[in-house]
Amino acid sequence: MTTQMIILNGGSSSGKSGIVRCLQAILPDPWLAFGVDSFIAAMPAKMQASGEGITFAPDGGVSVGADFMALYAAWTEGVVAMARAGARVIIDEVFLGGAASQQRWQKALGGLDVLWVGVRCESAVAAGREIARGDRVRGMAASQAHVVHEGVIYDLEVDTTHTESLVCARTIAARVS
């Protein structure tokens, strides 16, 4: 089968976005890239600090409400529809619910050929990147570094702690059919 989607899961500041850009550059066919950050940016501003939407705690914790989950389910179905229509898609995800988050994607994906990739990074390194970025709540990287992988089953894992995005992308690209 031909890989139709690549789903990268990792905590905040783990290096997923850099890997996605490298994958788009080195894969021979065009791949669309979407991520949970772009989904959140597309939400109405009033949902970005609401119990029914998404809230970011001062310690880096993230909570989502019912309205967020309803829109997220619709967004997921829309992304999957693009892949079913022939677009090849890379997803940059943060599975806050670990295995339950992966199961929501699996339900939507049906029979699509997906390459599941875990993107790991030592929490101290991710926290340093978080500070350098300056666009994240401090503590998010450390709080997500492990929990996003709990119970998740991958086809491949990469670790960006000491490995550049391009090297990780080449490892992933070698598994794309």
Side-chain angles (χ1 to χ4, degrees):
M1 286 184 71
T2 300
T3 306
Q4 295 162 288
M5 289 183 73
I6 302 168
I7 299 181
L8 303 175
N9 174 51
S12 179
S13 300
S14 63
K16 298 178 309 295
S17 298
I19 293 171
V20 169
R21 286 189 297 277
C22 290
L23 281 168
Q24 287 181 303
I26 66 172
L27 288 168
D29 297 317
W31 286 74
L32 297 174
F34 298 101
V36 69
D37 288 345
S38 56
F39 166 73
I40 292 168
M43 291 182 349
K46 65 183 178 184
M47 286 185 63
Q48 295 184 26
S50 153
E52 290 302 306
I54 186 167
T55 57
F56 300 93
D59 66 355
V62 180
S63 299
V64 297
D67 290 347
F68 177 96
M69 292 306 294
L71 285 176
Y72 183 79
W75 176 77
T76 301
E77 292 289 339
V79 170
V80 170
M82 285 188 279
R84 289 192 193 290
R88 295 176 97 182
V89 179
I90 305 168
I91 298 295
D92 174 341
E93 256 291 6
V94 180
F95 287 169
L96 293 175
S101 298
Q102 183 179 38
Q103 289 165 359
R104 282 191 290 277
W105 270 103
Q106 288 169 327
K107 181 180 175 189
L109 290 163
L112 289 180
D113 188 19
V114 178
L115 180 64
W116 296 92
V117 181
V119 178
R120 295 189 182 266
C121 182
E122 290 178 11
S123 61
V125 172
R129 292 176 186 169
E130 175 180 76
I131 292 168
R133 288 173 70 162
D135 65 348
R136 297 284 191 263
V137 176
R138 281 196 184 182
M140 196 180 314
S143 70
Q144 294 175 2
H146 301 289
V147 70
V148 300
H149 299 291
E150 289 178 3
V152 178
I153 299 170
Y154 299 112
D155 298 309
L156 173 67
E157 293 187 45
V158 294
D159 190 322
T160 66
T161 303
H162 303 292
T163 307
E164 294 295 325
S165 296
L166 182 57
V167 174
C168 292
R170 286 183 177 140
T171 300
I172 296 164
R175 297 284 302 269
V176 174
S177 54

